[in-house]
Structure formats: C-alpha cells, structure tokens
Amino acid sequence: MKTKRILSAVLAVIMIMTVMTACGEAKPEYAYDDEAPSLCEAYADYFNIGAAINSWDLTDETTDRFKLINKHFNTFVMENETKPDQIHPKEDTYNFDATDKFVEFGEKYGKTLRGHTLVWHSQVPNWFFEDNGEQASADLLVERMKEHITTVVSRYKGKIDTWDVCNEVLDDSYGLRLSNWLKIIKDYDGDGDRYDFIEIAFRTAHEADPDARLIINDYSLESSTDKAITMYNMVKKMLEEGVPVDGVGLQMHVGIDMDVEKARENMKILARLKEINPDFVLEVTELDMSCYGWGNNDLNIDFKSIEKEFNAKYVELFNMLMDLSEEGVLDSVVFWGFNDGNTWLNGFPVEGRTNYPFLIDADLKFKSAFWKVIDLPEKR
Ligand code: XIL
C-alpha cells in the first residue's frame, strides 16, 4: 500500500513538472513579444533579413508593429514612398518627408537601408517624359534622370546603403522592356546597344554616392532561366564596359509551387558575374510566397489546408538561400512586407483575394512557418 502511495506521489510530481516545463517552454504567440526570438539574429551568420515598410509603421515607437519590425529585421526598404511618383511628383517638387523619417529610423537603430527605386517604368510621373505636350527629347530625359538621381542619392549619401537603381528593365519575352526610358533614350551613345539609360543611371548614382551598393532589380529571375541568362548577358557587357553595377536583385515574388532547385540554378548563373567583378552580389529584394500557385485564380483559400505545404516550401527555400550565402554570393533577404494583413498580394493579381505570404499573420502572431524557418540555421 505504502509503495503504491509513494509511487503515485512520484508520478504526480513528474506530471506537474512535465506540465510546468511545457508551460515554461510555451512559444510566444505574438511576434512583438519581448520573449520571442529574433529572425534576423537567428540568421546573422548567413544574411541580413529585411522588410518593406511604410512611413506609418514608424510614427509611434511604442506600437506593437514598431516593436515587431525593429526586433525581427535589420534591413529595410520603403514599399512605395521612395519611388519617383511619391518623392518627385512634379519637376520642381520633391517630397522627402517619408524617406527622411525612414533614414532617421535606420540611423537611430543601426539598420541597413535600401532605396527603391530610381528608374522604373511604373510609379513614375509622366512629366519626366513630356515637354510642352510633346514627347521629351532624349537629351531632356537624360538631363531629368540625372537630376533626379543626383538629388535623391546625394541627399541620402552614406545613409541609404543600397539602391535599386533600375527596376524591371527586362520584359517577359526576355528582351529590354519597351519603357518610356528605352523608347526615348535608345542608343544614346551610338555604340550599338540600347542599355544607355541603364548605364547612365548607374554612373550617375555612383557619382552621387561612390560607396553605395548599386543593384539592378527584376522579377521572375528565379523561375525563368531565359530571363536570368538575359540579365547575365546584359550585366556582363555593362561590367566589361566599367558600368558600376554591384549586384542583381531578385524580387522573388514566389508561389507555393515554386521550383527551389531551379531558383538555385538560376542564381548560380547570375553569380557567375563574380568572375568579372569578384565583389558582385545577389540580393533577394522582395520576397513573398503566394499561397496560390502560379496562374491559380481561386478567390479564397483556407490557409490551414495548405499550411504544411507552405511551411515545407519556406524551409526548402531558406535552406537553399543559406547554401548560397555559404558560397559567398548572397548576403541579404528582404520580405516585401512583414505580416499577412499588409501585403500587395491581397489585391494582386486577383482583386479582393486574401493571401498569406509571410511568416507572421495579420494579427501579428507567429505562423507555424516562422518556427520552422527560425530553427534552420542552428540545425546546420
Ligand atoms: C508594389 C507595392 O507593394 C504596392 O503597394 C503598389 O501599389 C505597387 O507596387 N515589384 C516592385 C515593387 O518592384 O515596387 C512593387 O510594389 C511590387 C512588384
């Protein structure tokens, strides 16, 4: 009898201890929790981890959103406010307020900052391309482009570390996109290629801040080998001519059905630009993972039904990115947002559709994918 009682007492103690340990190890629910581990700290040996934000994320340092971004990310970019239509809406008007605030935040907390973007066919005001109702001449457009780049880059010299100098200059048939920049500036120096607006943009940015890292940024480079090769050939030629391109940015708006091994191969193609410039880098600049596969226009998905698949793909992707970091070709991975409540994918490419592309949900709670991804560096 006595032994039985002792045994049940011991069992009870063990059970209580087990419950207590389990409670003690309970994972924090909210991504801004003081006790929560930091994503960028976990990846410190591999690459910086960043997020696209908006100036309203920075207005109050006591908010959960602010705590969250400051904790998990060491690199930042503005989602829209540094784009030409916002920072330079009219020829004689610059709006620096938002980007100034962004830079102040970056300096205060020692963050690496990216400037997005100087030359793009989208979110650029028409005044750049017009002259008294007519199309601007090549000379005028070059002059305006130089003025824009010089003003913006020199204002943030030594403060914005990296610029997406040109964004999306390639089109979907793997040639140069027929943007207004290309249409008007064409082969400006008469040397037979039409990379001139890109070359002028990079040279001007370099003059304005010789220490800034200058990136050429594009989408689908991870999924289209043709596009990756076109990018490789173009940048190779520019590097051989001494154009100061420091790296290629892969936006990586990927889907749950992405082919990670193909992405690895394509990134390796681009990384061969190191043969010409040993310091050449790759960056992931706009990562988000749509829960809908490519071309799937379903209106709404139940996230729970694809959660496992989503987690597995994130794990596969981050393992591949760490491999590339070990090979010395990748040092920055930036998400295009930071929580499922604020993502351009809740409206693109299908209006009114909800998406769940990140590791943190719309209530700022950790998703199960977060715990899988944050554990990876330690497991290697
Ligand atoms: C998107 C923003 O997220 C949206 O808020 C805006 O309405 C349109 O632009 N590639 C880019 C980014 O380089 O600048 C885009 O950002 C997403 C695609």
Side-chain angles (χ1 to χ4, degrees):
M1 262 318 261
K2 208 176 165 195
T3 343
K4 240 186 168 178
R5 251 186 280 140
I6 293 174
L7 254 178
S8 25
V10 170
L11 264 176
V13 170
I14 292 176
M15 269 172 67
I16 290 168
M17 280 174 64
T18 318
V19 171
M20 279 172 65
T21 327
C23 290
E25 280 177 5
K27 289 176 168 158
E29 207 180 349
Y30 288 92
Y32 51 79
D33 195 316
D34 288 335
E35 308 304 315
S38 150
L39 189 62
C40 64
E41 277 172 24
Y43 276 85
D45 290 343
Y46 293 92
F47 34 72
N48 281 350
I49 299 212
I53 54 169
N54 291 279
S55 56
W56 59 80
D57 295 315
L58 304 173
T59 41
D60 180 356
E61 297 201 358
T62 65
T63 61
D64 297 334
R65 292 174 80 80
F66 184 87
K67 272 170 79 179
L68 188 165
I69 59 174
N70 203 12
K71 177 184 194 89
H72 291 289
F73 306 105
N74 47 18
T75 299
F76 290 92
V77 60
M78 302 216 88
E79 186 177 3
N80 287 300
E81 288 154 295
T82 316
K83 292 172 180 171
D85 63 346
Q86 300 228 13
I87 208 167
H88 197 178
K90 294 191 197 138
E91 187 152 23
D92 57 359
T93 310
Y94 279 96
N95 284 333
F96 291 121
D97 288 358
T99 308
D100 282 359
K101 180 189 275 191
F102 169 75
V103 165
E104 206 181 290
F105 156 72
E107 292 211 292
K108 182 166 170 190
Y109 292 99
K111 308 293 189 183
T112 299
L113 299 183
R114 309 190 79 263
H116 176 83
T117 176
L118 298 167
V119 174
W120 191 20
H121 65 278
S122 180
Q123 291 181 276
V124 56
N126 273 334
W127 66 258
F128 270 99
F129 311 109
E130 288 168 359
D131 184 16
N132 289 319
E134 305 281 301
Q135 180 173 286
S137 66
D139 284 343
L140 181 59
L141 183 55
V142 166
E143 190 189 304
R144 284 172 173 168
M145 183 212 259
K146 284 186 175 171
E147 194 277 333
H148 173 77
I149 294 176
T150 306
T151 306
V152 177
V153 175
S154 24
R155 183 177 181 93
Y156 302 116
K157 183 169 186 236
K159 296 175 177 174
I160 289 193
D161 306 271
T162 305
W163 282 98
D164 289 333
V165 177
C166 291
N167 195 29
E168 303 182 349
V169 300
L170 300 180
D171 68 13
D172 296 326
S173 48
Y174 322 122
L176 278 180
R177 178 186 302 280
L178 197 56
S179 64
N180 283 328
W181 299 106
L182 177 66
K183 251 189 260 171
I184 298 173
I185 297 176
K186 299 191 196 98
D187 180 8
Y188 196 63
D189 62 10
D191 71 351
D193 73 46
R194 297 187 305 156
Y195 303 149
D196 303 53
F197 75 97
I198 307 169
E199 296 175 358
I200 296 167
F202 275 86
R203 289 191 199 280
T204 309
H206 184 66
E207 262 169 47
D209 185 353
D211 295 327
R213 179 188 275 191
L214 305 182
I215 297 289
I216 185 159
N217 197 45
D218 220 315
Y219 62 87
S220 294
L221 293 170
E222 72 288 346
S223 56
S224 161
T225 304
D226 287 338
K227 192 162 181 175
I229 290 172
T230 307
M231 177 63 90
Y232 170 86
N233 285 331
M234 177 175 70
V235 176
K236 179 171 183 280
K237 182 153 191 285
M238 289 197 289
L239 289 177
E240 284 165 351
E241 287 171 8
V243 182
V245 186
D246 297 311
V248 171
L250 295 100
Q251 293 184 1
M252 284 226 185
H253 295 291
V254 298
I256 192 168
D257 56 348
M258 81 170 287
D259 182 341
V260 173
E261 283 315 303
K262 184 180 226 179
R264 183 201 300 272
E265 291 316 312
N266 288 3
M267 289 174 89
K268 284 192 167 177
I269 292 171
L270 293 167
R272 279 179 29 210
L273 290 162
K274 265 179 150 342
E275 290 164 10
I276 308 162
N277 170 6
D279 295 327
F280 202 82
V281 286
L282 303 184
E283 294 192 6
V284 173
T285 55
E286 304 183 16
L287 177 62
D288 44 27
M289 187 182 288
S290 168
C291 292
Y292 303 85
W294 182 244
N296 178 349
N297 290 341
D298 278 359
L299 201 51
N300 273 307
I301 216 166
D302 170 17
F303 180 69
K304 281 276 162 223
S305 70
I306 48 101
E307 186 168 6
K308 266 200 167 151
E309 207 186 320
F310 178 83
N311 295 0
K313 196 59 85 170
Y314 253 112
V315 164
E316 194 189 351
L317 175 60
F318 269 74
N319 272 323
M320 185 276 278
L321 295 175
M322 281 191 285
D323 292 343
L324 291 185
S325 152
E326 282 171 348
E327 289 162 30
V329 297
L330 176 79
D331 65 3
S332 179
V333 174
V334 175
F335 289 91
W336 201 245
F338 60 92
N339 80 89
D340 289 347
N342 298 90
T343 162
W344 73 307
L345 296 176
N346 284 338
F348 179 87
V350 178
E351 193 72 42
R353 183 170 78 175
T354 309
N355 216 322
Y356 312 88
F358 297 123
L359 304 176
I360 295 168
D361 76 11
D363 297 324
L364 308 187
K365 286 183 181 166
F366 288 127
K367 288 161 76 176
S368 54
F370 176 89
W371 298 108
K372 307 259 182 232
V373 168
I374 200 164
D375 277 352
L376 298 176
E378 271 219 342
K379 283 194 192 148
R380 285 165 83 90

